[in-house]
Amino acid sequence: MPERWFGTRVLVKTGDITQEEVDAIVNAANPSLMGGGGVDGAIHRAGGPAILEECKQIRRTQYPNGLPTGEAVITTGGNLKAKHVIHTVGPVWKGGTQNEPELLRRCYWNSLKLAAENGLKTIAFPAISTGVYGYPPDQAAQVASRAVSEFLKQDDRIERVVFVLFGEEAYRTFIEHCEFDVT
Ligand code: AR6
């Protein structure tokens, strides 16, 4: 399984994010927070019903109209090795003219901010928006790596960020196009 470190805090690897042993894994959710396909489906299947119960509670109390794109919320990890799941909604790719890069940047930024505010030190991300939502994986790698680099520069509470790419092709594309600036 290929993997590569960038500085001492960022690891990029292939794998299934539901198996990661980190404080939180990030879910590429949709505004309903009621589950779906892709990584969202895999996380709810592996984590069990406690995740959906908390998502329903969040919808009732905080986001009756759904979680806006770029925002993030935190729930239990249920049966996962990760104690928490951070759910964020990536942008649907509409050609790149609808503020997609900024919205995707906010997904990473707000997820990291929420993790830090909850005292979490290690977090794993999938390649948000690059599946069903159609964001070109090369451009997404650039946005994700820049966002994480900027965050880590101004916040020393997060000790490790893991990017879990689903398959070797996704891994190679990410490695070729990421622009980490971390120590
Ligand atoms: N571990 C890591 N990455 C994965 C896994 C996994 N187990 N499974 C898929 N991926 P997607 P999106 C990769 O479609 O584009 C859902 O239905 C996948 O190969 O999961 O943000 C939600 O409910 C891809 O590279 O999320 C939303 O409706 C990346 O994860 C919608 O899809 C993201 O693909 C969100 O679309």
Side-chain angles (χ1 to χ4, degrees):
M1 290 295 231
E3 58 171 55
R4 183 164 153 193
W5 283 93
F6 292 84
T8 58
R9 291 198 286 168
V10 176
L11 176 62
V12 180
K13 61 188 276 195
T14 59
D16 171 1
I17 200 167
T18 64
Q19 301 304 310
E20 282 300 305
E21 296 187 34
V22 285
D23 295 333
I25 65 173
V26 175
N27 182 17
N30 63 66
S32 80
L33 296 178
M34 293 299 113
V39 72
D40 193 2
I43 288 172
H44 280 279
R45 272 195 303 279
I51 300 176
L52 187 60
E53 277 315 305
E54 268 192 58
C55 285
K56 287 180 179 166
Q57 182 68 14
I58 289 168
R59 283 294 309 278
R60 278 193 293 269
T61 57
Q62 275 181 273
Y63 290 107
N65 299 320
L67 184 65
T69 304
E71 299 298 316
V73 295
I74 188 168
T75 66
T76 176
N79 303 326
L80 295 168
K81 292 171 190 161
K83 280 219 166 57
H84 303 276
V85 175
I86 292 176
H87 306 260
T88 187
V89 180
V92 176
W93 181 257
K94 293 175 183 155
T97 59
Q98 305 298 309
N99 209 25
E100 293 96 326
E102 169 60 14
L103 291 166
L104 186 60
R105 186 195 71 77
R106 275 190 221 156
C107 287
Y108 287 95
W109 189 275
N110 287 326
S111 296
L112 288 162
K113 184 161 171 275
L114 194 55
E117 285 166 358
N118 281 274
L120 311 185
K121 297 184 187 312
T122 59
I123 181 170
F125 285 100
I128 299 164
S129 281
T130 65
V132 175
Y133 280 1
Y135 207 117
D138 52 345
Q139 295 182 51
Q142 188 187 62
V143 172
S145 56
R146 284 184 184 168
V148 167
S149 299
E150 284 308 305
F151 189 90
L152 292 180
K153 252 184 228 177
Q154 54 91 56
D155 192 306
D156 58 11
R157 292 175 293 179
I158 300 292
E159 292 175 359
R160 185 168 20 117
V161 176
V162 186
F163 281 94
V164 183
L165 282 309
F166 205 49
E168 297 214 10
E169 191 187 338
Y171 173 84
R172 276 195 297 274
T173 302
F174 189 95
I175 289 287
E176 268 172 38
H177 295 276
C178 66
E179 297 178 1
F180 287 108
D181 178 14
V182 289
T183 51

